[in-house]
Amino acid sequence: MTTTFEQTSTPTPTTRPGAGRAAPWLAGGGIALLACALVSILAQAADDFRWWSLFVVIPTSLIAAAGFVALARGGGILAYALGNVGLVAFAVGVMLMFGDVPRFWPLLIALPAAAIAGSYWWRPDDPLGRSFHRTLAMLASIAVLLGLTFQARHFDLFQMDPRWWAWFMVAGGVVVVGNGAELMRHRMVYRVSAAALAAGPGIVTILLGVRFLRGWWF
């Protein structure tokens, strides 16, 4: 006697290769276009809308979205750079849309500098390269403060000494000298020459800043 059993099987769901991978890109593009629509609505409500600026705002917002989505998916420093280039260009497009470039031009100093300062966490393995990159990031942070100070003075939020900008020269020189001195703790053959090369321009910048602060123009 032969016993037969009914064959049953549970169908295995098939997923298309790459299914779901497009969702972050679509979400990023949707957020970018939503930002463009919101900016356009605000500009029209202010009766100061320049339609041709959309040719700058729309593509740059999509570039920024693509860069930051790629960064979230492990794109690295190149994705970070692409996102920030798009973001800065988008800010320029918004200024053009509202016709506010003469009022907000200091942001064109602060925003790119903030992008460079934000790259501080990508550190090269070589001590010299790491020191050079750290110096650029710290100088960029000073440039952010410089741009914001220009913006505050442009709106007459506070009054400062006419030679206030020399303080930023002093701060930049201190950053260069400090990072040059930090090289001395590494076991490198060229650490003394590298520290000396950094100290020279840094000390000159500090002395010039002090000279300008004290009013010694010659």
Side-chain angles (χ1 to χ4, degrees):
M1 181 177 179
T2 304
T3 305
T4 59
F5 298 93
E6 182 180 359
Q7 183 178 2
T8 59
S9 61
T10 303
T12 303
T14 59
T15 57
R16 293 178 301 171
R21 295 181 182 178
W25 301 99
L26 293 176
I31 293 173
L33 295 178
L34 182 62
C36 294
L38 180 60
V39 169
S40 301
I41 291 171
L42 292 176
Q44 294 179 41
D47 294 326
D48 202 9
F49 178 66
R50 292 162 176 79
W51 64 269
W52 47 266
S53 61
L54 290 173
F55 291 105
V56 178
V57 170
I58 293 177
T60 55
S61 66
L62 294 174
I63 291 173
F68 288 122
V69 170
L71 178 64
R73 296 171 68 85
I77 188 66
L78 293 179
Y80 176 82
L82 178 64
N84 279 281
V85 167
L87 187 62
V88 172
F90 174 76
V92 174
V94 173
M95 293 181 196
L96 292 173
M97 181 177 290
F98 284 89
D100 281 335
V101 176
R103 287 200 302 165
F104 291 98
W105 64 265
L107 294 181
L108 300 181
I109 299 175
L111 291 177
I116 297 174
S119 68
Y120 178 83
W121 305 110
W122 280 276
R123 300 180 179 180
D125 295 330
D126 181 67
L128 182 60
R130 186 164 58 249
S131 177
F132 179 73
H133 177 257
R134 183 174 58 247
T135 302
L136 287 180
M138 295 177 70
L139 289 175
S141 300
I142 295 174
V144 172
L145 295 176
L146 177 63
L148 295 178
T149 304
F150 269 122
Q151 188 67 73
R153 283 179 56 84
H154 194 61
F155 287 149
D156 295 326
L157 296 182
F158 54 83
Q159 297 296 326
M160 297 178 64
D161 184 87
R163 291 181 291 273
W164 59 270
W165 44 268
W167 285 109
F168 290 93
M169 294 183 63
V170 174
V174 170
V175 165
V176 174
V177 172
N179 281 282
E182 190 271 341
L183 286 173
M184 295 298 296
R185 70 182 184 87
H186 296 285
R187 296 180 179 273
M188 300 183 302
V189 177
Y190 48 82
R191 65 181 183 275
V192 176
S193 58
L197 287 174
I203 292 174
V204 171
T205 304
I206 293 172
L207 293 176
L208 284 174
V210 172
R211 181 181 182 182
F212 293 147
L213 285 171
R214 295 180 65 88
W216 302 337
W217 292 93
F218 302 102

